[in-house]
Amino acid sequence: MRVLRVALDVPLATLFEYSRPEAFEVAAGDRVVVPFGTRSRVGVVVEEDAASSIAPQKLKPVTRVLEDTPRLPPQWLALMRFLAAYYQRPLGETVIGALPPRLKSLKPLPKKVRDAAAPLPASPRFIGNHVPSSDQARAIERIAGALGRFEPFLLHGITGSGKTEVYLHLIARVLQSGGQALVLVPEISLTPQLEARFRRAFPEARIALLHSALQDVPRTAAWLSAARGEAGIVLGTRLATLTPLPRLALVVVDEEHDTSFKQQEGLRYSGRDAAVIRAKFAACPVVLGTATPSLETWHNALAGRYARLSLPDRAVPGARLPVVRMLDLHREPADHGFAPGLLAAIGERLARREQSLVFINRRGYAPVLACHACGWTSGCERCTARMVLHKPERRLRCHHCGAEHAIPRACPTCGNVDLKAMGRGTQRVEETLEARFPQARVVRIDRDSARRRSELARTLEGIARGEADILVGTQLLAKGHDFPLLTLVGVLDADGGLVSTDYRAAERLYATLAQVAGRAGRREQPGEVLVQTHYPRHPLFASLASHDYAAFAAAQLAEREAAGFPPFVHEAALRAEADKLAQAMEFLGEAARLVPVPDEVRVYDPVPHVITRRADLERAQLLVQSHSRPALQGFLAAWSERLFATAPRSVRWHLDVDPIEFD
Ligand code: ADP
Ligand code: ZN
Ligand code: ZN
């Protein structure tokens, strides 16, 4: 029997079957209304001619087709099928999850969102800022030569080398020939400068902005503008990868190494990897741009699977990469977190009216509050973690579960009133700098100071205009910003990434330091980067100082190969959460015996997470590895089918394919 199979917004839904209505036409890709229980629901027809064991007279017909959305193209459905299969999630969840919020509901769309937009000029103007350098021109021509077919490129360019300028020139060509360009960035709302740059470059083009911080209606409007083919440029975070794009002709993934491209719930996809698949389906080039490629991408480039294009110099004439020096904390011990050499360098910048940036990747005042009388520390009741002291807000906060309460006046165990803040975060660094340089304007930027995006955008613009002397910040300050007056970057404690048990920690540390170092000296004045460390001769720092990513990557890849880690093997993690660790461990132990494990696949023993308890749940995971992607995929498919069928309700579990976080 032939039926329609429909994806519905029902938790963990597989597909639901309906019969074809008599009165109107329905096809795969249509957004439809269907009866479900006693109510109506919105769904997407995924298969229009499916075989079924149920007689059609027993099925209800589709109620109607919602014509305010375009029929989703077969290529988009094929992408959803690929992602659902690859990441081991139900197709229904994948399809519905890719829709913007308003298209999952029956609520009618506002008229201005529903109506098609007025057509734009056939070839929108491009206002280029610069004549491309010869390296830029070479990259542009090489990639433009691949328009119309699938080819992946790694655009490896140092910070400030003009990668964005290359994207803009390529997009201009795509728009000229009526195509759409998809540009993925890690966190668009943090880089308002980027959006402004795109709008200046293409004043007549329609640009759809897509990220999760948008309100439902503008996000739905942007999605529809992309799906109807009206927007020439789609600029967004990883979720934009899942937008239908009927005329897709170019995919760009900027800062491709950034871990925020990986979704950490539901369909745990990598936006970067999905972008490559997407380009393959659309037969168009994909450009992965970065100063510090992920080792997966670098490995692909070395193996010749991705064409490598280099921009080895800064684009602004006269601008050079900063000089990087290590401050040996054994030889110059830190006082209040600062080596004397760093304080002196900040003082020089103040005298010259240049800006300094102090980087510390920890927000809050201090990572723990402690009692020296009895040894009490501010632990979280719900997590295996410490509560972080936030002094201006007068709170203790858990960064893992969000729990918070007032700072206790005295030790809850022994009553001692002299509680001590241990270690430091951005707030304490800000306090130290204000005390040390009372005449300086110190601005702190982290997730606490930048609660509201509009506020952050204003602050960043102010900094660029010179309305700050010293910036204190986390990762948030490292990404993409262009501060012309900034000539000094100080890194307070870089050593955590050197001694971590996570084999990806060094890769992340290098990328972060190269990014933050890249903020210095973007104009004529040369930049300087001072890194405080107890390991000044560590090879990672040597590569950083000589700006030699290739040397760093070669050393890392050799280690990964010897230890049998990605990219030399493929991985998946099965994770479980339960009230008690024993339940999670037992579930994983049984799961490992659920289906036969092929020879090429290795299933490791379950282990508790480092942060074992989080938000009152105890967590464990087990790792699966294989040298063969098909063998791993085959095993995971059989395994997840059994897991969905047999897992007990007392345990929450998920599979993470190509996992990148193991905490
Ligand atoms: P990236 O994306 O690699 O960080 P950008 O494209 O943002 O680099 O360029 C860095 C800076 O160099 C920007 O201020 C940009 O306007 C400028 N720039 C880019 N290309 C050129 C060029 N060909 N000539 C002069 N300046 C350029
Ligand atoms: Zn005490
Ligand atoms: Zn907690």
Side-chain angles (χ1 to χ4, degrees):
M1 286 292 116
R2 301 281 160 191
V3 302
L4 301 170
R5 304 186 75 212
V6 177
L8 293 181
D9 190 13
V10 176
L12 273 189
T14 50
L15 300 174
F16 293 86
E17 298 187 340
Y18 291 89
S19 63
R20 241 174 220 292
E22 307 262 298
F24 54 91
E25 215 201 305
V26 186
D30 282 342
R31 198 169 145 254
V32 293
V33 178
V34 295
F36 188 84
T38 55
R39 316 198 294 138
S40 286
R41 276 187 183 269
V42 171
V44 172
V45 179
V46 172
E47 285 172 47
E48 59 182 53
D49 202 17
S52 171
S53 53
I54 305 172
Q57 55 274 26
K58 289 201 177 160
L59 292 174
K60 292 182 183 156
V62 164
T63 314
R64 66 196 163 94
V65 174
L66 290 163
E67 274 157 6
D68 51 11
T69 41
R71 179 173 290 168
L72 299 163
Q75 204 185 83
W76 184 81
L77 288 171
L79 177 72
M80 294 300 120
R81 261 192 209 97
F82 176 90
L83 293 176
Y86 186 90
Y87 292 105
Q88 311 297 336
R89 294 303 295 184
L91 181 56
E93 179 199 63
T94 306
V95 167
I96 297 296
L99 300 181
R102 282 296 290 267
L103 296 188
K104 297 177 197 175
S105 82
L106 278 163
K107 217 157 111 188
L109 294 170
K111 185 165 158 30
K112 71 172 199 300
V113 175
R114 213 166 51 221
D115 291 347
L120 290 175
S123 42
R125 259 183 318 145
F126 169 49
I127 305 181
N129 283 325
H130 308 283
V131 179
S133 68
S134 58
D135 287 328
Q136 284 172 320
R138 197 172 317 117
I140 293 164
E141 290 315 319
R142 177 68 179 80
I143 300 164
L147 289 171
R149 64 181 156 86
F150 172 62
E151 188 173 354
F153 294 92
L154 165 60
L155 181 62
H156 181 209
I158 62 167
T159 54
S161 60
K163 296 182 290 296
T164 309
E165 205 66 26
V166 168
Y167 310 149
L168 294 174
H169 278 84
L170 288 166
I171 292 166
R173 308 235 183 148
V174 165
L175 295 181
Q176 283 287 330
S177 53
Q180 288 178 294
L182 171 64
V183 182
L184 301 173
V185 293
E187 289 178 73
I188 183 111
S189 51
L190 302 177
T191 48
Q193 289 176 334
L194 185 72
E195 184 196 345
R197 193 162 160 195
F198 271 68
R199 297 210 184 271
R200 272 199 310 276
F202 301 105
E204 296 162 358
R206 198 163 276 136
I207 302 179
L209 206 62
L210 271 166
H211 55 86
S212 58
L214 289 173
Q215 304 277 317
D216 287 359
V217 170
R219 179 161 153 202
T220 304
W223 196 92
L224 281 171
S225 165
R228 291 193 200 112
E230 293 162 2
I233 303 171
V234 177
L235 181 59
T237 53
R238 62 170 186 262
L239 61 89
T241 326
L242 309 183
T243 318
L245 296 160
R247 294 180 285 105
L248 182 60
L250 174 71
V251 180
V252 172
V253 184
D254 190 31
E255 310 292 5
E256 68 86 27
H257 64 278
D258 198 288
T259 52
S260 73
F261 282 120
K262 179 85 157 108
Q263 165 117 334
Q264 299 292 4
E265 60 189 26
L267 183 81
R268 289 175 155 74
Y269 68 102
S270 151
R272 179 205 50 224
D273 296 347
V276 174
I277 295 298
R278 177 110 221 221
K280 197 168 188 173
F281 283 9
C284 75
V286 51
V287 183
L288 309 179
T290 175
T292 52
S294 64
L295 289 174
E296 281 77 7
T297 296
W298 188 247
H299 185 60
N300 279 328
L302 293 178
R305 286 186 289 272
Y306 296 176
R308 180 161 43 133
L309 301 166
S310 300
L311 301 178
D313 301 308
R314 283 209 155 160
V316 172
R320 272 154 290 130
L321 277 174
V323 174
V324 180
R325 280 199 299 124
M326 310 312 139
L327 297 181
D328 183 349
L329 289 173
H330 291 298
R331 287 214 265 151
E332 11 175 0
D335 174 24
H336 288 78
F338 285 84
L342 179 53
L343 288 177
I346 294 172
E348 282 168 28
R349 293 323 186 280
L350 285 172
R352 295 209 297 261
R353 303 191 163 277
E354 294 170 9
Q355 285 173 334
S356 306
L357 187 168
V358 175
F359 176 78
I360 175 164
N361 214 4
R362 194 186 295 127
R363 64 193 172 88
Y365 185 83
V368 57
L369 187 66
C371 168
H372 286 193
C374 76
W376 172 87
T377 58
S378 55
C380 175
E381 284 170 13
R382 310 179 61 205
C383 307
T384 334
R386 301 273 179 50
M387 292 194 98
V388 177
L389 173 62
H390 285 251
K391 199 171 167 190
E393 303 94 324
R394 310 209 50 73
R395 310 290 281 173
L396 288 175
R397 284 191 185 139
C398 174
H399 289 184
H400 298 279
C401 73
E404 63 170 81
H405 48 75
I407 301 170
R409 247 178 274 274
C411 173
T413 317
C414 75
N416 173 18
V417 291
D418 187 22
L419 297 177
K420 292 262 191 293
M422 309 278 288
R424 70 198 70 252
T426 45
Q427 293 173 347
R428 194 172 201 173
V429 170
E430 179 187 25
E431 187 185 88
T432 304
L433 287 167
E434 279 172 344
R436 175 75 203 215
F437 302 108
Q439 76 287 15
R441 294 163 298 173
V442 181
V443 176
R444 171 170 57 90
I445 295 195
D446 56 29
R447 238 166 249 291
D448 303 308
S449 75
R451 286 265 152 117
R452 262 177 309 167
R453 280 152 224 279
S454 53
E455 221 172 284
L456 175 64
R458 261 200 313 276
T459 311
L460 293 173
E461 279 162 24
I463 295 170
R465 280 196 303 268
E467 294 163 12
D469 301 308
I470 308 176
L471 321 177
V472 176
T474 55
Q475 295 261 33
L476 275 197
L477 260 185
K479 287 179 187 171
H481 310 296
D482 192 10
F483 303 129
L485 300 173
L486 187 86
T487 59
L488 174 70
V489 169
V491 178
L492 287 197
D493 58 349
D495 292 350
L498 298 177
V499 294
S500 171
T501 52
D502 179 351
Y503 64 83
R504 289 181 198 269
E507 178 182 353
R508 280 194 204 128
L509 176 64
Y510 190 92
T512 302
L513 293 183
Q515 277 292 327
V516 70
R519 299 313 106 211
R522 293 173 69 93
R523 296 296 188 276
E524 292 73 24
Q525 291 99 324
E528 184 178 29
V529 179
L530 299 177
V531 181
Q532 298 189 170
T533 175
H534 290 97
Y535 311 94
R537 271 165 296 281
H538 195 286
L540 186 148
F541 293 138
S543 303
L544 188 74
S546 54
H547 305 289
D548 193 349
Y549 169 81
F552 167 75
Q556 284 293 310
L557 285 175
E559 274 181 33
R560 299 260 188 109
E561 186 164 27
F565 287 134
F568 298 95
V569 296
H570 307 291
E571 284 185 345
L574 176 64
R575 304 208 182 92
E577 300 181 337
D579 291 337
K580 289 275 161 275
L581 181 62
Q583 293 168 285
M585 292 291 280
E586 189 188 317
F587 164 77
L588 294 174
E590 280 167 14
R593 292 184 295 274
L594 216 47
V595 292
V597 180
D599 285 344
E600 303 102 305
V601 175
R602 182 150 175 210
V603 176
Y604 287 83
D605 289 336
V607 287
H609 280 259
V610 177
I611 298 168
T612 308
R613 194 154 36 91
R614 196 177 65 190
D616 286 329
L617 288 173
E618 306 206 315
R619 317 179 303 149
Q621 60 187 333
L622 69 72
L623 200 63
V624 183
Q625 280 190 343
S626 179
H627 286 280
S628 156
R629 176 68 77 186
L632 181 64
Q633 281 291 315
F635 171 70
L636 293 177
W639 203 27
S640 71
E641 200 182 313
R642 293 287 295 147
L643 286 166
F644 275 117
T646 62
R649 281 174 177 275
S650 54
V651 175
R652 286 192 6 203
W653 66 275
H654 69 259
L655 270 172
D656 189 350
V657 180
D658 306 329
I660 58 169
E661 313 250 14
F662 295 95
D663 65 338

